[in-house]
Amino acid sequence: DLPDKGIRRKRKKETRGKYSNGRSIEERPSEVDSRKTFGHYEADTILSGKTKGQAIATVSERFSRMTIVRRLPGRDSESMSNLLTSLAKELGSNMSSLTVDHGKEFSQYSRIESQANIPVYFAHAYSPHERGTNEQRNRVLRRFIPKGRLIEEIDDEELFQINILLNTMPLKCLNWRTPLEVFMENIKF
């Protein structure tokens, strides 16, 4: 009955190599840490499990906890940078910064910074608490897409429904308002 049952097991090591360039999270403005300002995002990817193939990208806004869930053709830097640059163009001035981990899918961070005109900050290795919003929203997303379920089996309609459910769930940290409500109150058109 517990939502986190079985989550604490030994994880597989990264085999795609190490990546250690980029702007450190220590250079990120303190206003981002306090969650008092709108427009600062965190990004990550979710895989189906042991098989390689499609992935899901999650981009969470820190202030409202709004999470954007999109399908990726693979867990590579090309598809992730294409997604993030197009998302930054859609959001415009509503995207001020992006915080990511040291995954290989973010190795084209300089392209994201130049095309989207936003700074990209890298969290320290093995420190998921530095991107807590995204990690927590990914944990909730795993209720709908458990490990082992192939992402190729999830059609676009179901992914859209999961996105709606994720963002219309009232949260205690938002005074029992939904992430979608808070996001729509703060977005500038």
Side-chain angles (χ1 to χ4, degrees), residues 22 29 101 108 110:
D101 57 11
Q108 292 188 10
S110 55

PDB file of all heavy atoms in Angstrom, residues 22 29 101 108 110:
ATOM      1  N   GLY A  22      30.286  22.833 -17.213  1.00  0.00           N
ATOM      2  CA  GLY A  22      29.092  23.633 -17.000  1.00  0.00           C
ATOM      3  C   GLY A  22      29.152  24.481 -15.749  1.00  0.00           C
ATOM      4  O   GLY A  22      30.074  24.401 -14.946  1.00  0.00           O
ATOM      5  N   PRO A  29      21.522  32.105  -8.437  1.00  0.00           N
ATOM      6  CA  PRO A  29      21.085  33.148  -7.491  1.00  0.00           C
ATOM      7  C   PRO A  29      20.312  32.568  -6.312  1.00  0.00           C
ATOM      8  O   PRO A  29      19.617  31.556  -6.447  1.00  0.00           O
ATOM      9  CB  PRO A  29      20.178  34.041  -8.336  1.00  0.00           C
ATOM     10  CG  PRO A  29      20.512  33.731  -9.745  1.00  0.00           C
ATOM     11  CD  PRO A  29      21.029  32.329  -9.777  1.00  0.00           C
ATOM     12  N   ASP A 101      20.942  17.719 -13.801  1.00  0.00           N
ATOM     13  CA  ASP A 101      21.993  16.896 -13.215  1.00  0.00           C
ATOM     14  C   ASP A 101      23.109  16.721 -14.248  1.00  0.00           C
ATOM     15  O   ASP A 101      23.076  17.315 -15.318  1.00  0.00           O
ATOM     16  CB  ASP A 101      21.440  15.547 -12.742  1.00  0.00           C
ATOM     17  CG  ASP A 101      20.763  14.757 -13.844  1.00  0.00           C
ATOM     18  OD1 ASP A 101      20.886  15.132 -15.034  1.00  0.00           O
ATOM     19  OD2 ASP A 101      20.109  13.753 -13.527  1.00  0.00           O
ATOM     20  N   GLN A 108      24.827  19.120 -24.242  1.00  0.00           N
ATOM     21  CA  GLN A 108      24.750  20.250 -25.169  1.00  0.00           C
ATOM     22  C   GLN A 108      24.172  21.483 -24.480  1.00  0.00           C
ATOM     23  O   GLN A 108      23.399  22.239 -25.052  1.00  0.00           O
ATOM     24  CB  GLN A 108      23.914  19.874 -26.390  1.00  0.00           C
ATOM     25  CG  GLN A 108      24.558  18.849 -27.274  1.00  0.00           C
ATOM     26  CD  GLN A 108      23.786  18.643 -28.571  1.00  0.00           C
ATOM     27  OE1 GLN A 108      22.873  19.386 -28.901  1.00  0.00           O
ATOM     28  NE2 GLN A 108      24.163  17.617 -29.308  1.00  0.00           N
ATOM     29  N   SER A 110      25.523  24.280 -23.717  1.00  0.00           N
ATOM     30  CA  SER A 110      25.898  25.565 -24.313  1.00  0.00           C
ATOM     31  C   SER A 110      24.950  25.923 -25.466  1.00  0.00           C
ATOM     32  O   SER A 110      24.625  27.094 -25.662  1.00  0.00           O
ATOM     33  CB  SER A 110      27.335  25.538 -24.798  1.00  0.00           C
ATOM     34  OG  SER A 110      27.545  24.468 -25.688  1.00  0.00           O
TER      35      SER A 110
END
